[in-house]
């Protein structure tokens, strides 16, 4: 087992990893940018090293600085968290060549899954359904038009290096396709330094359902069940839950088996996630594999009792999985709300600044993962998420009730947050009935006159 781990990340996930290390008796090293001097991950680690200026390109994405810090602190392993360098195969390779264990899959798996159009081809060969689309990258407008005509509108143009919903555009006809194609290419180039895009059939009102994978390097791959992440804004997740409401036993079984097949096709090791879209006819299609820890991993931890971060560390150190697929039990229901420093009433305008008042929820079955505290200043440079509230109930309706109680207790001010939006979502009859799809948030904003009476009164 490792003695010392460097966490190449910030915010709540750095804190989360420090906690897992401490539980395992492993020493921790945090790295931080000049804007994060006062962050909790710096205070909680055994050691902390400043790695550069505020912009992430000069700190959390700066490979030489991070590797130097790892060498100075003499760590055995690096945990990359999510975002930043977590899905950068080059970084994983450099770690290995410096004899520092990268806590994640092999660089080849990261590379393969990171090229989303190659990833489609990989899982197709493993007999996992993919959304009909272009074979590989679409290079010019003429080809885009040909592919779209064949698929039939609407279509979605997606970045091959994609992530976070960037470089993604939907087109409903030939006229819109050309602009959408050019915009997606430009956005992908700006975000990932790779303008390659591919085209898929656009599925109307799908559910986003993903499976948590754990795989050891001795040939065992299992899943820890499904998370429904359909509550999204602009293709970015806001609220996640497990199990996926209303998913029949037979579909769950089929999807779980497909997810394990897909992970094996990537020769996957460590924790990862297979993402699917499910259409109204209960057909499911692979969209991508995330080769890292997910923001929403706690909902799975809540219902399985398995600590995914500890598992990541154990698996990276070469241990065998100590449980089988059949021994994974699912207990009750869990929901996570992402609390972002954004103003939902002003088109989700970022709302950084000092947190003067902070009251976080507690009580039975409530977990809060956060790096903020009273007096903390949310810097404008990074992701806007300030906390995750996760709850566990004996069933979905109890979980909803506990989440509403938790959100009512939460005060984060004077900055604006997504707390009121989550309350609105949880009060909607459509959500309570489990009728979720990726257009849910849009429908919340488009039809205010259809709001339920209790939400109008509260507003
Ligand atoms: P990213 O890696 O940028 O997050 P994904 O491929 O995971 O991109 O897709 C993110 C979200 O975009 C999905 O959860 C879904 O809401 C939407 N999406 C992606 N592909 C399609 C599609 N073919 N049809 C409809 N929606 C899609």
């Amino acid at each position: 087992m490792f003695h010392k781990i460097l966490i190449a990340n910030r915010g709540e996930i750095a804190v989360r990893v420090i906690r897992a290390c401490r539980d395992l008796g492993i020493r921790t090293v945090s790295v931080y940018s000049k804007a994060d001097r006062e962050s909790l991950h710096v205070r909680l680690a055994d050691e902390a090293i400043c790695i550069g200026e505020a912009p992430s390109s000069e700190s959390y994405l700066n490979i030489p600085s991070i590797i130097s810090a790892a060498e100075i602190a003499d760590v055995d392993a690096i945990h990359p968290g999510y975002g930043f360098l977590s899905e950068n195969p080059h970084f994983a390779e450099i770690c290995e060549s410096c004899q520092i264990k990268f806590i994640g899959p092999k660089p080849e798996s990261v590379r393969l899954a990171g090229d989303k159009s190659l990833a489609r081809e990989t899982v197709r060969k493993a007999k996992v359904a993919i959304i009909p689309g272009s074979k590989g990258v679409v290079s010019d407008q003429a080809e885009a038009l040909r592919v779209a005509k064949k698929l039939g509108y609407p279509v979605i143009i997606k970045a091959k290096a994609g992530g976070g919903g960037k470089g993604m555009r939907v087109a409903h006809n030939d006229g819109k396709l050309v602009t959408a194609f050019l915009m997606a290419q430009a956005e992908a180039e700006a975000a990932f330094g790779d303008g390659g895009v591919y085209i898929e059939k656009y599925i109307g009102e799908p559910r986003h359902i993903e499976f948590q994978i754990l795989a050891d390097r001795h040939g065992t791959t299992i899943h820890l069940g499904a998370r429904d992440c359909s509550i999204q804004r602009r293709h970015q997740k806001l609220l996640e839950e497990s199990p996926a409401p209303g998913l029949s036993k037979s579909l769950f079984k089929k999807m779980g088996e497909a997810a394990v097949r897909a992970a094996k096709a990537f020769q996957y090791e460590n924790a990862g996630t297979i993402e699917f879209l499910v259409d109204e006819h209960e057909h499911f299609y692979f969209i991508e594999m995330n080769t890292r820890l997910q923001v929403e991993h706690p909902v799975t931890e809540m219902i399985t009792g398995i600590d995914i971060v500890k598992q990541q560390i154990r698996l990276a150190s070469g241990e065998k999985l100590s449980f089988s697929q059949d021994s994974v039990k699912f207990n009750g229901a869990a929901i996570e709300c992402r609390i972002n420093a954004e103003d939902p009433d002003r088109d989700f305008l970022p709302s950084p600044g000092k947190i003067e008042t902070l009251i976080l929820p507690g009580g039975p079955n409530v977990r809060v993962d956060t790096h903020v505290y009273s007096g903390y200043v949310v810097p404008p440079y990074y992701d806007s998420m300030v906390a995750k509230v996760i709850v566990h109930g004996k069933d979905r309706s109890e979980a909803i009730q506990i989440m509403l109680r938790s959100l009512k207790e939460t005060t984060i001010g004077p900055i604006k947050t997504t707390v009121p939006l989550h309350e609105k979502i949880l009060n909607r009859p459509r959500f309570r009935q489990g009728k979720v799809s990726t257009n849910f948030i849009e429908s919340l904003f488009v039809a205010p006159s259809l709001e339920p009476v209790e939400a109008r009164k509260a507003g």
Side-chain angles (χ1 to χ4, degrees):
M1 184 42 87
F2 307 120
H3 298 290
K4 209 187 210 188
I5 292 177
L6 180 142
I7 298 113
N9 216 301
R10 65 178 300 282
E12 69 84 21
I13 200 62
V15 172
R16 169 72 187 90
V17 177
I18 291 170
R19 288 181 173 144
C21 290
R22 201 146 276 160
D23 288 349
L24 289 169
I26 299 170
R27 287 181 63 79
T28 51
V29 181
S30 279
V31 291
Y32 63 96
S33 74
K34 286 186 180 166
D36 271 342
R37 267 184 210 294
E38 303 300 329
S39 194
L40 202 56
H41 79 285
V42 179
R43 292 198 198 175
L44 291 186
D46 296 305
E47 293 168 46
I49 300 176
C50 182
I51 49 163
E53 300 297 324
S56 37
S57 58
E58 294 173 42
S59 47
Y60 300 105
L61 291 172
N62 184 338
I63 297 178
S65 286
I66 292 172
I67 296 289
S68 303
E71 290 190 324
I72 290 166
D74 196 21
V75 301
D76 320 290
I78 293 186
H79 194 302
Y82 53 65
F84 295 127
L85 296 169
S86 61
E87 291 181 292
N88 181 325
H90 179 56
F91 179 61
E93 267 161 8
I94 293 183
C95 290
E96 302 288 279
S97 69
C98 296
Q99 259 94 67
I100 299 167
K101 184 70 196 156
F102 174 80
I103 301 179
K106 294 188 294 277
E108 307 87 80
S109 305
V110 181
R111 187 163 281 125
L112 188 57
D115 181 329
K116 291 169 78 170
S117 98
L118 260 183
R120 275 165 57 85
E121 204 41 38
T122 306
V123 303
R124 192 186 60 75
K125 286 191 193 139
K127 305 220 170 342
V128 177
I130 54 171
I131 299 173
S134 60
K135 214 167 181 298
V137 166
V138 175
S139 49
D140 56 40
Q141 297 171 28
E143 193 189 344
L145 284 165
R146 262 198 315 277
V147 172
K149 199 182 182 81
K150 202 163 149 215
L151 292 172
Y153 287 101
V155 297
I156 183 165
I157 304 148
K158 299 170 74 172
K160 104 182 213 276
K166 291 196 192 94
M168 209 182 269
R169 282 273 187 284
V170 180
H172 292 267
N173 52 50
D174 280 358
K176 292 270 166 23
L177 178 78
V178 174
T179 343
F181 177 74
L182 295 175
M183 281 171 77
Q185 271 187 330
E187 220 172 274
E189 180 66 48
F192 313 110
D194 179 346
V197 296
Y198 63 102
I199 299 181
E200 274 177 3
K201 176 89 186 145
Y202 182 72
I203 314 239
E205 305 193 21
R207 290 174 67 181
H208 173 122
I209 296 181
E210 59 185 33
F211 277 72
Q212 175 68 54
I213 296 288
L214 287 183
D216 67 21
R217 66 168 83 140
H218 310 281
T220 303
T221 305
I222 63 165
H223 71 76
L224 301 184
R227 293 185 286 256
D228 191 308
C229 312
S230 301
I231 305 296
Q232 307 178 347
R233 176 182 171 266
R234 299 208 175 138
H235 308 307
Q236 298 221 37
K237 299 162 188 166
L238 275 173
L239 177 152
E240 304 93 346
E241 58 181 308
S242 188
L247 190 68
S248 69
K249 266 196 178 144
S250 65
L251 188 54
F252 174 84
K253 188 163 182 291
K254 270 196 275 182
M255 291 179 77
E257 285 164 1
V260 166
R261 252 188 350 264
K264 285 185 170 164
F266 290 105
Q267 303 196 334
Y268 203 76
E269 283 171 15
N270 214 274
T273 297
I274 301 287
E275 297 191 333
F276 296 107
L277 289 186
V278 183
D279 71 12
E280 53 184 341
H281 309 294
E282 298 204 329
H283 295 133
F284 65 92
Y285 307 93
F286 167 89
I287 45 171
E288 68 166 338
M289 172 159 210
N290 285 325
T291 54
R292 55 167 166 84
L293 186 63
Q294 304 270 107
V295 175
E296 59 273 21
H297 75 275
V299 290
T300 303
E301 297 185 324
M302 291 292 233
I303 69 157
T304 60
I306 295 169
D307 184 314
I308 297 170
V309 182
K310 280 194 205 163
Q311 286 301 324
Q312 285 193 293
I313 297 170
R314 290 188 187 286
L315 293 170
S317 78
E319 283 187 21
K320 276 188 178 169
L321 266 173
S322 60
F323 44 86
S324 64
Q325 185 67 69
D326 290 342
S327 62
V328 177
K329 297 282 177 268
F330 304 103
N331 169 26
I335 302 176
E336 171 182 278
C337 287
R338 298 189 188 194
I339 313 299
N340 297 339
E342 290 170 0
D343 187 350
D345 291 334
R346 292 177 65 199
D347 199 25
F348 295 85
L349 191 72
S351 182
K354 187 167 183 181
I355 297 178
E356 311 268 4
T357 317
L358 180 76
I359 302 168
L360 292 173
N365 299 344
V366 179
R367 162 175 167 182
V368 181
D369 281 17
T370 184
H371 59 294
V372 308
Y373 50 84
S374 189
Y376 176 81
V377 180
V378 180
Y381 308 100
Y382 313 109
D383 187 273
S384 61
M385 195 169 73
V386 288
K388 304 188 307 205
V389 177
I390 310 113
V391 301
H392 189 202
K394 68 177 187 311
D395 54 27
R396 187 171 186 267
S397 66
E398 189 181 82
I400 292 175
Q401 229 26 61
I402 297 174
M403 183 59 91
L404 281 168
R405 179 245 290 170
S406 303
L407 295 175
K408 214 176 169 62
E409 286 177 22
T410 306
T411 306
I412 306 176
I415 63 165
K416 299 281 183 211
T417 73
T418 46
V419 167
L421 173 69
H422 284 298
E423 289 177 317
K424 200 165 163 179
I425 295 168
L426 292 158
N427 275 316
R428 291 296 279 215
R430 197 180 134 196
F431 179 82
R432 286 173 169 253
Q433 289 154 14
K435 290 186 184 148
V436 289
S437 71
T438 58
N439 74 336
F440 183 90
I441 294 287
E442 245 169 59
S443 68
L444 261 190
F445 285 90
V446 170
S449 59
L450 299 178
E451 264 180 41
V453 177
E454 78 236 65
R456 268 211 304 273
K457 269 196 209 139

